[in-house]
Amino acid sequence: MTTPYYSGIPPAPTARRYPFSNAVNHIPRTTPPTKPQETPDDKIEQKQKEKYQKIGEPPLPRQNTKTIPPSPPKVIVDKGRASKYARVGLLGEGGFARVYEVVDHKHSRLACKVVTKTSLKTKKAKTKLYAEIKIHRALAHPNVVRFLDCFEDDENVYMTIELCPNGSLMDLLRRRKRFTEPEARFFMVQLLGACHYMHNHQVIHRDLKLGNLFLDSNMNIKVGDFGLAALIESPGERKKTICGTPNYIAPEVLFDTANGHSFEVDIWSIGVILYTFVIGHPPFQTKEVKSIYKRIRDNQYEFPVNRDISDDGKQLIQLILTPDPQERPTLHEILDHGFFVGGTVPLTLPTTIHDIIPKFDHITRPISTANLAKLRRLALLDEDQVSTISLPVANSTANGSKMKGNPTAALAQQEKEFQQAVQPGSPISALLKSARQPLVMGSGGRGESPLYRKLQAAAKEKRSSPLKQRTDALRDIEEERSGEGRGQKEKDYEEVRRKELEAQKARIVAQMAPPKAVTAAEFVQTLERENVDPIPKASREPRDKDEKEKTAGRDDKSGGPVLKVNGFDAAAETLAAALGLLAQGECFSDPREEAAMLEGRVFIASWVDYCNKYGMGYALTDGTVGVYFNDSTSLVLSPDKHHFDFIESRRGGSVYVRKYYTVDEYPDPELKNKVYLLKHFEGYIMNRLFGDYEYCFTDTTRTKGMAFLQKFLRMKNVIVFKMSNDTLQFNFYDHSKMILSSNGLVVTHIDKHYNMTKWKLSEIMARALGPKPEDPDEAKLQQRLVDKLKYCKEVLLSIRKATELTANQGEGAELKEVPEPAIVPRPSKRSAQPRA
Ligand SMILES: Nc1ncnc2c1ncn2[C@@H]1O[C@H](COP(=O)(O)OP(=O)(O)OP(=O)(O)O)[C@@H](O)[C@H]1O
């Protein structure tokens, strides 16, 4: 960590984020002007720039000179292909482009990068665009943002690319502060896979950083932004351009300009990224760019003592952040490090990691080993083919004809076209035409570079591996070459995910469910046949004095704490306050919201109403299954299916007493029938109702104190559940749901297609007060959220009124006479049947 490899004073920071001068082999090596770009480092750099300007030092790498471009048309038309894209929302903005979500004629959601033609006047801007199209469109890997097409109209150039709806890892890190090591392993394997693919195809990314790692809908990494990427044309070729983002730049880029740099710069950035994942900020970060460079030169960084990082993790970071590029580990050496092979590796990550620190206690060592192997395969890490002539995909010209002649002639032709296309005044169409030509490389590959040798050695090792493994790999490579590979990989990925989830579900069901899934009618028949009449209609007599004393307020196997119940009032008041302010044009806010956002994960995922005989059964999102029996007692089975809590309400539902047992051992024989029913409910719900929703997970760490249903109430448009965790859930009969947690401060909305969004109440109110979103879907959702909140408030106020009227009449299903609120959010198009 403190071994300086480069000596001397760091050069004046003339390092500019050249987008392209060395990015493609046949592009001129002139120094383009600086490029405006937004990154998390910009603030620091801007300040630093001002300072340098005052003291007469050279400018910093990038400048912020942003102008707001006009919006592209609502319907973007690719005249050449007669395709249309409806613009539905702005995803983000860089220094170079604005990125929109668009929908094509097949209703596929894509991202569309829009660059205004007015910003493409300079040779530098044209060069960057050329590089981005040329290199990016030639790459096809499951962990690289897919480049789809590019076209122009009078105002703009458009690049359609794969949509990454979960933002970038920088956004995620900002929310989460840092990631757990299992998450870091998952992300790293995918990043290593993408990098392995790029390097095998002679591409150096040169700007790997959290802001350029995007997340698809399944939280898989997709490397994007190839504006600084470069091709290594001939063996041992070194790049000389100083480029990158300060925190992530390798020392040889800054301090060894004479020798230049190569693939190892990406490996350095991977080390910075790993450190950032687990520590929460980049290793060399300081307020001033100059001191970042100094720290990079001196290899000066440390592991904060208050961060819990494994020895393997530390060691791997130290190995990667080796100043001498030749000493850095290869991508495979990184993967084979103990950090990966000895640690917990999840196969997938849930989208809930945006807000919640995931737990991986259920992943055993053998599962981790299997997951790592699967992840490696899915990231194509075990394929070592080295491309020396041309990249795949770009094998036809813009007009569809095949590239003819030898590579040298083709290269010369491209160079000529490029030179003409980037001249000031030359039309953008000429640039695009040239950029869409297949990417042609000089012959020779990377035969003499150390990295190439290492890759060859790895490939040789692979060739000597067992026949089947080799055959599988070859088959995959074949698929990839035939153009179906990528689709197939994605299918494989989905398949693995599906199988994993099915296996998980099967494991749970196998433990407790009856051997055969029963239909609702069979279920009732079975109980009748076996003469089970487990639920006394009247509440059970209170336990004897001794038992009460033994159990009340205790938190051990036989007795639990007395729980106090909050009514519906708190949420009603919160909503009334927020909506009242909204009516007056003012915005609601509450300082507790931030912390409250971490709550609200556990709610009802599925339910079944057998109140005509036994009670209400339900499964929670964390894997808990409960039954709220007609006698107002409840049994809740833990997600590990081995423990249960028995809960009785006292004093008309104002307190609850909870006792903890295991399904094999409980003292009260009277519980036998209820446990029997609980198991049946569990089998029924898990087999037939419980879905593979993104918001569901299995919290096997919770073996007692599970959340439980306290009250429920059916109304014309909705069934309302009140949970013990201060959550109120409104399930509308069109299958949409509103979940109010932390007494209404956090609102979770699930639409009828099971898409979940989670909001602070103040966020919804602020949006309602702001301008109407351009995106019609977003505007619709915004209105719907406010309407539904109004409805929920009316329901809660009605309940309060009814409760006052029927005071002392009991709880839960007894509250039948609640008047229907006057306003109804949206009439249900489907039949008013609950899910059961
Ligand atoms: N494929 C994508 N899916 C979803 N959002 C994206 C995608 N690509 C980019 N974005 C969003 O758009 C923003 C700008 O994109 P990007 O960084 O590629 O633009 P740029 O102008 O080329 O950047 P730079 O200034 O680094 O050159 C990103 O920060 C991200 O929020």
Side-chain angles (χ1 to χ4, degrees), residues 545-695:
K545 189 168 165 280
D546 281 356
E547 192 184 350
K548 261 198 273 179
E549 278 170 7
K550 249 192 285 172
T551 58
R554 283 182 49 186
D555 190 11
D556 59 20
K557 195 179 173 191
S558 62
V562 175
L563 307 166
K564 292 221 181 323
V565 179
N566 297 319
F568 294 84
D569 291 3
E573 275 160 22
T574 311
L575 292 193
L579 291 164
L581 284 169
L582 180 68
Q584 292 164 26
E586 283 176 44
C587 195
F588 168 86
S589 76
D590 190 302
R592 294 167 301 173
E593 278 182 319
E594 204 60 56
M597 279 300 273
L598 297 173
E599 306 296 327
R601 272 182 91 196
V602 179
F603 50 87
I604 292 179
S606 308
W607 54 277
V608 55
D609 184 352
Y610 276 117
C611 287
N612 59 344
K613 254 186 165 305
Y614 307 112
M616 174 69 85
Y618 53 92
L620 305 184
T621 48
D622 67 350
T624 300
V625 172
V627 183
Y628 179 41
F629 292 107
N630 287 344
D631 67 351
S632 301
T633 62
S634 291
L635 287 195
V636 268
L637 185 65
S638 62
D640 73 356
K641 310 297 168 199
H642 191 61
H643 303 78
F644 71 89
D645 293 357
F646 172 60
I647 299 147
E648 288 177 291
S649 71
R650 301 274 165 85
R651 289 188 231 134
S654 60
V655 287
Y656 286 80
V657 176
R658 191 196 284 258
K659 292 173 197 148
Y660 312 121
Y661 302 117
T662 69
V663 287
D664 302 324
E665 203 188 335
Y666 46 90
D668 184 350
E670 282 188 48
L671 280 181
K672 196 172 161 209
N673 285 335
K674 287 186 180 175
V675 172
Y676 179 84
L677 274 171
L678 174 69
K679 287 181 188 176
H680 273 288
F681 269 104
E682 195 269 339
Y684 183 78
I685 293 174
M686 287 323 238
N687 280 331
R688 310 190 134 251
L689 305 178
F690 198 76
D692 169 18
Y693 312 120
E694 61 164 321
Y695 42 83

Side-chain angles (χ1 to χ4, degrees), residues 341-485:
V341 296
T344 301
V345 183
L347 187 59
T348 57
L349 292 177
T351 47
T352 47
I353 64 164
H354 279 293
D355 300 305
I356 292 153
I357 302 170
K359 289 215 164 74
F360 300 100
D361 306 346
H362 59 289
I363 302 182
T364 58
R365 181 94 296 284
I367 292 179
S368 280
T369 308
N371 286 351
L372 181 60
K374 281 179 203 162
L375 282 182
R376 282 177 69 128
R377 188 167 178 275
L378 292 166
L380 312 187
L381 269 155
D382 297 327
E383 296 180 11
D384 275 314
Q385 83 276 28
V386 176
S387 161
T388 55
I389 302 297
S390 67
L391 287 161
V393 181
N395 57 359
S396 61
T397 60
N399 60 17
S401 64
K402 293 277 172 200
M403 175 62 81
K404 294 191 182 82
N406 66 45
T408 316
L411 196 65
Q413 175 62 22
Q414 281 195 10
E415 174 70 22
K416 201 171 140 201
E417 281 177 9
F418 169 78
Q419 289 295 354
Q420 285 167 359
V422 292
Q423 287 312 313
S426 110
I428 297 296
S429 49
L431 182 87
L432 293 189
K433 190 171 169 230
S434 178
R436 290 165 83 169
Q437 298 288 326
L439 186 56
V440 179
M441 301 284 303
S443 58
R446 297 188 278 118
E448 285 162 24
S449 78
L451 193 78
Y452 179 83
R453 278 202 300 275
K454 283 180 184 169
L455 277 172
Q456 288 298 315
K460 200 170 153 205
E461 204 175 291
K462 174 111 205 119
R463 277 194 290 278
S464 63
S465 64
L467 184 65
K468 184 174 177 310
Q469 209 180 330
R470 178 80 190 135
T471 317
D472 286 349
L474 284 173
R475 194 200 55 219
D476 290 349
I477 292 166
E478 222 30 71
E479 282 167 358
E480 189 70 28
R481 285 195 184 130
S482 70
E484 293 159 15

Side-chain angles (χ1 to χ4, degrees), residues 139-144 187-205 208 223 226 263 266-267 270 330-335 375-387 391-392 446 451-452 454-460 462 473 477:
L139 302 174
H141 183 273
N143 300 111
V144 172
F187 290 139
M188 285 293 291
V189 175
Q190 298 197 333
L191 172 60
L192 290 166
C195 216
H196 174 65
Y197 171 83
M198 291 186 280
H199 289 187
N200 265 2
H201 293 89
Q202 293 137 277
V203 172
I204 324 178
H205 187 283
L208 290 176
V223 175
F226 286 80
F263 298 97
D266 283 345
I267 299 207
I270 285 173
T330 62
L331 295 166
H332 275 100
E333 281 165 2
I334 294 173
L335 260 175
L375 282 182
R376 282 177 69 128
R377 188 167 178 275
L378 292 166
L380 312 187
L381 269 155
D382 297 327
E383 296 180 11
D384 275 314
Q385 83 276 28
V386 176
S387 161
L391 287 161
R446 297 188 278 118
L451 193 78
Y452 179 83
K454 283 180 184 169
L455 277 172
Q456 288 298 315
K460 200 170 153 205
K462 174 111 205 119
I477 292 166

Side-chain angles (χ1 to χ4, degrees), residues 111-161:
C112 183
K113 210 162 171 170
V114 183
V115 184
T116 57
K117 284 192 172 171
T118 49
S119 71
L120 289 172
K121 296 235 156 61
T122 62
K123 197 168 173 181
K124 167 241 162 182
K126 285 182 175 182
T127 307
K128 170 171 165 51
L129 179 68
Y130 188 87
E132 190 146 356
I133 297 171
K134 194 100 183 167
I135 294 186
H136 195 173
R137 80 189 287 273
L139 302 174
H141 183 273
N143 300 111
V144 172
V145 174
R146 186 79 158 117
F147 188 99
L148 300 164
D149 206 355
C150 64
F151 55 92
E152 59 175 322
D153 63 14
D154 292 344
E155 312 298 329
N156 305 303
V157 171
Y158 304 92
M159 287 169 272
T160 47
I161 52 177

